[in-house]
Amino acid sequence: MAVVEPEHEAHDDHHDHGEFIAHHFESAEQQFDSGKLGIWLFLVTEVLFFSGLFVAYTLYRVLHPEIFDQAHVFLDKYLGFANTLVLLFSSLTMAVAVRYAQLGKNQHVVWYVLGTMVCASAFLGVKAIEYTHKWDQGIMVRSYFDYHAGHHEASMPLARALGVSDYLIWISIVPVLLLVGFALFAVFAKLTEKANAAFFSACMAIAIGGYFIGALAGHFYMELTDGGIGGRSEKAAALMAYEDETHSDHEHTDKPADHHDESAAEQQKETSEIAPYEGPQNDEFDQDIGIFFSIYYCMTGLHAIHIIAGIGFLAWILWRSILGHWRSDYFGPCDYVGLYWHLVDLIWIYLFPLLYLID
Amino acid sequence: MSHDHDGGFAHPAPPKLLITVFIALVLLTILTLAMSSIDLGLMGAFGFWIAMSIASFKAALVLLFFMHMYWDKPFNVLVFLSSSLFVILFIGLTLMDSSHYKNSVDEYPRQPDPPALSP
Amino acid sequence: MATAAERKKLFGHAENNYLNCTKGIRSWIFTLDHKRIGVMYLVGVTLALLLAGVFALILRLNLWTNTSELLTDAQYNQMFTLHGAVMVFAFIIPSIPAALGNFVLPMMLGAKDVAFPRLNLCSFYLWILGTGFLLWAIISGKGLDTGWTFYTPYSIQTDTGVIYATFGAFILGFSSIFTGLNFLVTVNTMRIPGQGWFKMPLFLWGLYATAIIQVLATPVLGITLLLLIAEKAMHIGIFDPKYGGDPVLFQHFFWFYSHPAVYIMILPGMGVISELIAVYSRKKVFGYSFIAFSSVAIALLGFLVWGHHMFTSGQSIVVTLIFSAITFTVAIPSAVKVFNWLATMYKGSIALTTPMCYALSFIFLFGIGGLTGLFLGALSTDIHLHDTYFVVAHFHFVMVGGTLTAVFGGVYHWWPKMFGRMYNDNLGRLSCFLVFMGFNLTFFPQFVMGARGMPRRYASYDPEFTIFHQWSTAGAMVLGIGIVLGFGVLVYAAFKGPKVAGNPFGAASLEWQSSSPPDFHNFIHQPILHDPYDFESMIYDEELDTYVPKEFMEPDKQPATEPEPQTH
Ligand code: HEM
Ligand SMILES: [Cu+2]
């Protein structure tokens, strides 16, 4: 973007402005402090942005604990745990990157930022496995929730060949394109002797490669454990939920003792378009379990969007580190992106126990 | 803010500290995971609160050291912490209310079975 | 001390200024100058106001008879929804902070720009984008008929353009957040050396308090609208009772933002009025710190009362009582301000210029609007008054009588600074008179019919309300003429008005220590800090026909140090 600024006679208050100090700031420190307060305020808005989802979560958990009890067995806590570790580690590398930026050691910053990006992509890879596994079983948001246990046959030839879900192929298109694009561009830039661009593109390709590492690891975990062990196996889950339901129905004797056998339920569907809600259905999973997954998808989805945005910001930091911009009196952007990244981690620190570890 | 570095306002965190914090975070994560795996009948509903306390402790570690709050201006700390106040307010006041009309929501006629989306 | 020539350069009328320092359309659309962004915002919000104003006139015309002859019921629903949504999200929320605030705030701090100029420009483009999406709901032919509140479950059932409109409001929310964030940082880190918090003009306190709300509350609007879009697109079962969701939860979400948002609308207006009252009474404001802190108090208390919009929603009694009680406390800081303004005027030398006329009408109208808020905050009366024209009248008294009046007052006050030219004061006063009379004629009858049970958002009504509606419609026409006249006077002045120098009103806050219009860098010299309400610090310069800081006057032109005024 062209910044249009009139040429102006030298000002009496004009002093030795460093390379990166904007004209309206008096000193590097003022600029840094402004940015710092700005990013903290931005994080405040992020926290409040997520707060709505936490409200929805708390509300449904308090009002319908049974739904949460039934639903959480579908989440594999070991995958969640692994992802937590990945994010924590990425936070560590980011913190170290900021440290080196503060010391002006740009080359170190490059490596640690790259490490952070690889972790970020790996996190998304694992998430992709988790999501697609659920979609295969019809574990969707409330209105599309249509659980059917068991193994699902992929229809796409490629998916069959690889032994993965159709959905995984679809959502991997973007990372594949990015990976190939950056790799090709790296070669092109190398040939045209644009050293920085070549190096940057190569780094980006590696960073995006993290997605495939995560997805592969997640995939093999699922294969080896036959659908994951962190969330109890499929059949056990189905059984558990079934038992829980019948169990809880017996307890709630205050509810209208209308025990809906199949014929009654069918009759109802025929008579009225919209059936009155009669508590959890016995023969099927309760559709309202879908609300848990609505919340799950909203929370983790929004979080994943933040990770993706974070990768974009980190790429910018990576580029500027390659250009060697950081000095002990100018490292603000790296610090700010670091703060953003830690916040994303922070939110996950809460999401993990809230979603995966319900007992 | 102290200016112990030459003219700088940077406070590079010692690497040892960062690694220690990381290890503590991992251990705490393992602890939460273990807690949920072992059936702690005696804890009951406290399990949730313990898990949340551990999470908050982890959050505090991240904030203090990874996010440099420990060295930051008090005003910035205040700004960020105030956000949690408003989140609590939001959750608290909304929750005080919702159980009151829970039944009307539960009894509201539901949409019949959803369209199947799976391939 | 400076020579006359120097004074002319520093405080005179500047032929070379921020408006013409660079030329061409690109120099405007890529500008990072807060003054230009402020001017662009001003143009933008004015257009939004006029558009939504046309919707309002159509609504009023439709209500001339009780059988809704002009519009079908569905069209009527769309019309009031778009009127409300455009007015609230595209006009009133950005009006004072983004347009006037952007222009004035950095100058009041003696700074060259806001802390993040790029973010500032980004905020403006988000405003355009968001407004575009709102309007797309109309242009696409789908319309929007949920009311500006988007209540579930209706908003999920209707097949009008809810997704476009909510997405537009979502984007406008971010525009507002960015402005607020920018202002908070700018005020914190960019004050001129020596300017403590209590040496800031009160307008800045108003903007600061507003910005706190913008940053804390608007994200919640963002997530609310996202969830609503998800609910509408995929039925995620959070707000839609047909899928086990909780529609009242939507109201909690919405009002957690939107009650604080009504203070986003009024606090900057109150800040403007604090300036105007002091300048045109030529008296130090009475109780500076009370006015300052009451802004912050309003901002914070405003977060505790959202449930007063939900008294009849099925909310529990306990919560209702709590919200009602806290609602009353919000009125206290508002009243503190009103009393302080009155006390400031007491024994001041009041100049009834156009801005001052607007300020006086603000005090009167906001007073009524605020007091009727208390009727609505009281449980027993609200059960009767909720969703009637009484509520409509209440919020128009605060939003139009309050904020719009303050917008006019502020724009008239800073217009000579923005464009270096003076408007016709008599015509300005006439516009104020028309706005005031038209406004009262429009909305006062609405209190009466509301109290008698006329529900809001109805296209047709019982015949006994006809006479009130006809008054109201007639008043709306007068109000419309007043508003158009008000803008007409200003626009004419910007091009053809007599040139003025830096400080025609003798105000003492820093933005007046510049040429008119200001230089690109705001100040050619480092401005000299005085108390913003120490009007003695500015001395009339006959050659320039304007006020300049006393430090710049030759000693012989300074009035002989007067003997201490004797106390009688
Ligand atoms: C003195 C302080 C105020 C009090 C005590 C107050 C109280 C209330 C109450 C209780 C309601 C709900 C009425 C109902 O729906 O039954 C209400 C509605 C409303 N108020 Fe206020 N109010 C105050 C100031 C303001 C201000 C300053 C504004 C805006 C600038 C404002 C804008 C609104 C709006 C827009 C509504 C209606 C929202 C809707 O349902 O569409 N109020 N007010
Ligand atoms: Cu309110």
Side-chain angles (χ1 to χ4, degrees):
Chain A
M1 180 165 59
V3 180
V4 189
E5 202 177 301
E7 298 109 88
H8 222 271
E9 331 89 85
H11 272 265
D12 31 312
D13 63 339
H14 214 81
H15 36 213
D16 184 26
H17 268 176
E19 200 184 343
F20 294 120
I21 300 179
H23 85 284
H24 57 291
F25 288 116
E26 296 292 323
S27 68
E29 182 159 5
Q30 189 190 30
Q31 170 162 322
F32 175 76
D33 287 346
S34 302
K36 190 98 177 186
L37 179 58
I39 190 73
W40 276 116
L41 284 167
F42 179 71
L43 298 191
V44 167
T45 68
E46 289 283 7
V47 169
L48 281 146
F49 195 67
F50 274 95
S51 74
L53 293 173
F54 284 99
V55 172
Y57 175 93
T58 324
L59 192 91
Y60 284 100
R61 181 148 183 197
V62 168
L63 295 187
H64 293 283
E66 74 282 359
I67 286 180
F68 282 69
D69 278 349
Q70 290 172 20
H72 85 280
V73 297
F74 293 101
L75 295 182
D76 191 312
K77 64 185 165 197
Y78 293 125
L79 280 180
F81 175 68
N83 254 352
T84 312
L85 293 190
V86 170
L87 270 197
L88 288 178
F89 185 70
S90 78
S91 257
L92 174 68
T93 51
M94 191 67 222
V96 177
V98 171
R99 175 192 151 79
Y100 282 119
Q102 288 172 326
L103 298 174
K105 297 188 176 165
N106 287 275
Q107 201 52 47
H108 290 70
V109 181
V110 171
W111 297 124
Y112 283 98
V113 169
L114 181 60
T116 311
M117 291 172 78
V118 172
C119 289
S121 309
F123 178 92
L124 290 177
V126 176
K127 269 257 86 72
I129 293 290
E130 276 193 88
Y131 276 2
T132 53
H133 187 69
K134 292 201 175 48
W135 295 342
D136 265 347
Q137 299 177 344
I139 301 178
M140 306 260 182
V141 295
R142 170 64 177 80
S143 70
Y144 296 116
F145 187 83
D146 182 20
Y147 175 71
H148 42 85
H151 199 66
H152 194 84
E153 273 304 307
S155 58
M156 258 194 268
L158 179 61
R160 284 195 192 187
L162 295 175
V164 297
S165 148
D166 288 341
Y167 292 117
L168 187 64
I169 302 292
W170 282 113
I171 59 177
S172 299
I173 289 181
V174 175
V176 167
L177 287 181
L178 284 174
L179 180 70
V180 173
F182 276 116
L184 286 180
F185 189 75
V187 174
F188 170 75
K190 184 84 192 163
L191 293 178
T192 52
E193 289 178 2
K194 294 195 181 83
N196 285 340
F199 183 56
F200 173 74
S201 308
C203 286
M204 284 305 290
I206 294 172
I208 288 164
Y211 172 85
F212 299 97
I213 301 176
L216 270 181
H219 177 68
F220 283 124
Y221 168 77
M222 285 294 190
E223 289 283 287
L224 289 177
T225 57
D226 191 19
I229 45 171
R232 309 175 207 179
S233 74
E234 296 308 343
K235 288 185 192 107
L239 207 69
M240 283 283 309
Y242 180 77
E243 270 173 12
D244 282 356
E245 271 172 32
T246 37
H247 186 63
S248 66
D249 251 17
H250 282 301
E251 273 179 3
H252 292 287
T253 35
D254 49 340
K255 283 206 167 179
D258 182 343
H259 266 273
H260 16 264
D261 46 17
E262 267 174 41
S263 60
E266 259 171 36
Q267 220 176 10
Q268 230 144 26
K269 265 174 216 165
E270 277 170 29
T271 45
S272 65
E273 252 288 335
I274 295 177
Y277 179 70
E278 308 213 320
Q281 310 274 311
N282 276 341
D283 50 338
E284 266 293 331
F285 284 105
D286 182 5
Q287 291 294 322
D288 277 3
I289 291 186
I291 297 182
F292 173 84
F293 288 101
S294 296
I295 294 173
Y296 165 81
Y297 283 122
C298 286
M299 283 181 142
T300 56
L302 199 62
H303 182 260
I305 291 175
H306 279 81
I307 299 255
I308 293 171
I311 293 178
F313 298 141
L314 286 167
W316 174 58
I317 296 303
L318 182 71
W319 175 241
R320 296 195 64 180
S321 318
I322 291 173
L323 297 184
H325 281 178
W326 315 128
R327 315 190 312 212
S328 64
D329 63 347
Y330 180 75
F331 54 88
C334 187
D335 198 3
Y336 311 148
V337 170
L339 285 177
Y340 169 84
W341 188 255
H342 296 308
L343 185 87
V344 175
D345 183 24
L346 207 77
I347 289 172
W348 184 260
I349 286 180
Y350 281 99
L351 290 188
F352 173 56
L354 285 178
L355 293 171
Y356 290 81
L357 301 182
I358 301 165
D359 27 66
Chain B
M1 267 179 81
S2 59
H3 292 255
D4 29 18
H5 311 277
D6 37 345
F9 38 84
H11 293 276
K16 262 193 195 148
L17 177 70
L18 295 178
I19 291 174
T20 318
V21 170
F22 172 70
I23 292 172
L25 289 170
V26 171
L27 291 181
L28 287 168
T29 312
I30 294 175
L31 179 68
T32 356
L33 184 73
M35 268 186 39
S36 84
S37 304
I38 311 163
D39 191 15
L40 294 169
L42 51 157
M43 293 224 237
F46 288 117
F48 171 77
W49 292 109
I50 294 177
M52 282 299 99
S53 313
I54 297 179
S56 300
F57 187 64
K58 285 161 70 183
L61 286 179
V62 171
L63 279 167
L64 277 175
F65 303 110
F66 283 179
M67 299 173 85
H68 299 188
M69 229 179 209
Y70 185 75
W71 301 275
D72 212 330
K73 293 193 157 117
F75 185 74
N76 291 351
V77 178
L78 182 81
V79 164
F80 186 74
L81 294 188
S82 69
S83 70
S84 52
L85 196 75
F86 285 87
V87 175
I88 291 169
L89 183 82
F90 188 15
I91 297 186
L93 276 174
T94 309
L95 215 67
M96 274 177 73
D97 183 35
S98 51
S99 52
H100 182 71
Y101 54 82
K102 172 177 187 281
N103 287 343
S104 344
V105 174
D106 284 350
E107 282 156 19
Y108 194 87
R110 297 304 162 96
Q111 188 80 12
D113 271 2
L117 191 88
S118 44
Chain C
M1 216 200 70
T3 64
E6 277 168 346
R7 281 201 299 275
K8 186 162 174 7
K9 180 165 184 287
L10 298 185
F11 310 115
H13 177 88
E15 294 302 337
N16 293 318
N17 52 57
Y18 78 100
L19 290 168
N20 58 16
C21 61
T22 49
K23 291 209 165 52
I25 186 81
R26 287 191 62 235
S27 76
W28 279 82
I29 56 181
F30 290 132
T31 184
L32 296 181
D33 179 8
H34 68 101
K35 300 183 287 302
R36 284 191 173 187
I37 295 174
V39 170
M40 293 196 295
Y41 250 125
L42 189 60
V43 174
V45 296
T46 307
L47 293 179
L49 169 72
L50 295 179
L51 177 72
V54 171
F55 293 149
L57 290 182
I58 297 175
L59 286 171
R60 282 315 324 167
L61 282 177
N62 185 63
L63 292 168
W64 181 260
T65 60
N66 70 329
T67 47
S68 185
E69 273 152 28
L70 198 59
L71 304 172
T72 64
D73 289 359
Q75 284 170 335
Y76 183 86
N77 290 346
Q78 302 212 349
M79 208 53 92
F80 76 68
T81 302
L82 288 165
H83 162 69
V86 174
M87 278 292 192
V88 168
F89 294 115
F91 166 66
I92 200 165
I93 288 179
S95 62
I96 296 184
L100 280 177
N102 244 328
F103 192 96
V104 175
L105 176 133
M107 297 188 73
M108 280 186 161
L109 298 170
K112 291 189 195 129
D113 208 321
V114 291
F116 310 119
R118 274 168 227 272
L119 192 69
N120 203 13
L121 185 66
C122 169
S123 157
F124 176 66
Y125 283 113
L126 286 181
W127 180 86
I128 292 194
L129 194 69
T131 311
F133 269 104
L134 266 189
L135 298 184
W136 190 7
I138 315 178
I139 298 164
S140 68
K142 284 190 145 189
L144 178 71
D145 64 353
T146 57
W148 76 282
T149 47
F150 304 117
Y151 271 12
T152 53
Y154 182 68
S155 56
I156 299 165
Q157 290 155 8
T158 173
D159 51 6
T160 52
V162 175
I163 292 188
Y164 301 149
T166 43
F167 192 61
F170 175 81
I171 295 175
L172 287 169
F174 276 91
S175 160
S176 167
I177 289 176
F178 289 162
T179 305
L181 194 154
N182 223 332
F183 285 4
L184 285 180
V185 175
T186 310
V187 170
N188 264 293
T189 61
M190 301 191 56
R191 278 166 294 154
I192 191 173
Q195 188 178 42
W197 285 89
F198 295 96
K199 284 212 167 171
M200 295 195 313
L202 285 165
F203 184 39
L204 293 187
W205 278 91
L207 287 177
Y208 195 82
T210 310
I212 293 177
I213 311 178
Q214 286 176 310
V215 165
L216 283 172
T218 318
V220 176
L221 176 75
I223 193 68
T224 311
L225 297 178
L226 270 194
L227 285 177
L228 180 62
I229 292 174
E231 185 75 78
K232 197 161 168 66
M234 299 187 287
H235 299 290
I236 57 175
I238 288 182
F239 297 139
D240 186 350
K242 270 203 272 180
Y243 294 92
D246 177 352
V248 179
L249 183 64
F250 177 83
Q251 298 189 18
H252 278 298
F253 272 58
F254 185 81
W255 290 113
F256 183 87
Y257 164 72
S258 288
H259 183 82
V262 308
Y263 294 110
I264 296 180
M265 306 173 202
I266 196 72
L267 277 170
M270 293 169 155
V272 169
I273 300 306
S274 305
E275 295 301 309
L276 302 189
I277 297 284
V279 171
Y280 297 105
S281 305
R282 292 201 75 70
K283 229 183 105 207
K284 203 175 167 65
V285 280
F286 181 85
Y288 175 96
S289 53
F290 277 89
I291 300 189
F293 282 126
S294 65
S295 293
V296 179
I298 289 178
L300 297 181
L301 281 175
F303 277 93
L304 300 174
V305 303
W306 78 82
H308 67 212
H309 296 272
M310 300 165 58
F311 285 159
T312 59
S313 70
Q315 192 175 242
S316 72
I317 300 290
V318 183
V319 176
T320 305
L321 283 173
I322 294 175
F323 278 128
S324 175
I326 309 178
T327 298
F328 288 110
T329 62
V330 184
I332 297 171
S334 313
V336 164
K337 281 187 192 287
V338 173
F339 293 135
N340 279 304
W341 293 327
L342 296 180
T344 305
M345 288 193 298
Y346 179 68
K347 288 197 172 168
S349 55
I350 296 174
L352 282 179
T353 58
T354 309
M356 187 60 170
C357 290
Y358 275 111
L360 294 177
S361 105
F362 175 99
I363 296 181
F364 183 79
L365 299 176
F366 174 76
I368 297 181
L371 287 174
T372 52
L374 293 177
F375 300 5
L376 295 172
L379 282 176
S380 49
T381 40
D382 185 66
I383 302 300
H384 174 62
L385 294 173
H386 176 69
D387 267 352
T388 66
Y389 263 74
F390 194 92
V391 177
V392 177
H394 153 70
F395 66 72
H396 281 89
F397 264 79
V398 273
M399 295 183 10
V400 180
T403 311
L404 182 67
T405 306
V407 171
F408 265 117
V411 171
Y412 268 95
H413 180 60
W414 280 294
W415 198 258
K417 173 66 35 198
M418 288 176 154
F419 297 104
R421 290 177 187 260
M422 197 49 151
Y423 45 81
N424 183 320
D425 223 357
N426 284 330
L427 284 177
R429 275 186 287 241
L430 176 65
S431 81
C432 178
F433 179 75
L434 288 178
V435 167
F436 183 78
M437 297 312 277
F439 177 84
N440 279 301
L441 190 56
T442 314
F443 291 104
F444 203 81
Q446 298 190 358
F447 279 129
V448 182
M449 59 178 150
R452 294 187 183 182
M454 169 77 209
R456 69 191 279 204
R457 297 182 171 170
Y458 276 40
S460 49
Y461 49 87
D462 287 346
E464 61 259 39
F465 292 118
T466 309
I467 182 70
F468 299 113
H469 275 295
Q470 291 186 342
W471 276 344
S472 197
T473 302
M477 298 300 147
V478 179
L479 178 58
I481 294 171
I483 289 176
V484 171
L485 177 67
F487 280 117
V489 171
L490 289 173
V491 172
Y492 179 83
F495 293 101
K496 293 277 157 59
K499 292 176 180 171
V500 283
N503 186 5
F505 305 130
S509 43
L510 289 181
E511 81 273 23
W512 297 99
Q513 289 190 30
S514 61
S515 58
S516 277
D519 181 65
F520 172 77
H521 291 273
N522 293 351
F523 304 100
I524 301 174
H525 72 105
Q526 181 86 345
I528 296 170
L529 188 70
H530 305 116
D531 184 285
Y533 303 107
D534 176 12
F535 297 108
E536 308 286 298
S537 67
M538 304 301 265
I539 291 178
Y540 186 66
D541 179 344
E542 279 166 28
E543 282 157 64
L544 286 177
D545 185 23
T546 203
Y547 288 79
V548 301
K550 63 178 176 225
E551 289 81 355
F552 284 82
M553 264 327 234
E554 287 94 349
D556 56 314
K557 294 246 179 78
Q558 294 200 12
T561 36
E562 290 165 34
E564 282 291 302
Q566 279 160 15
T567 37
H568 309 281

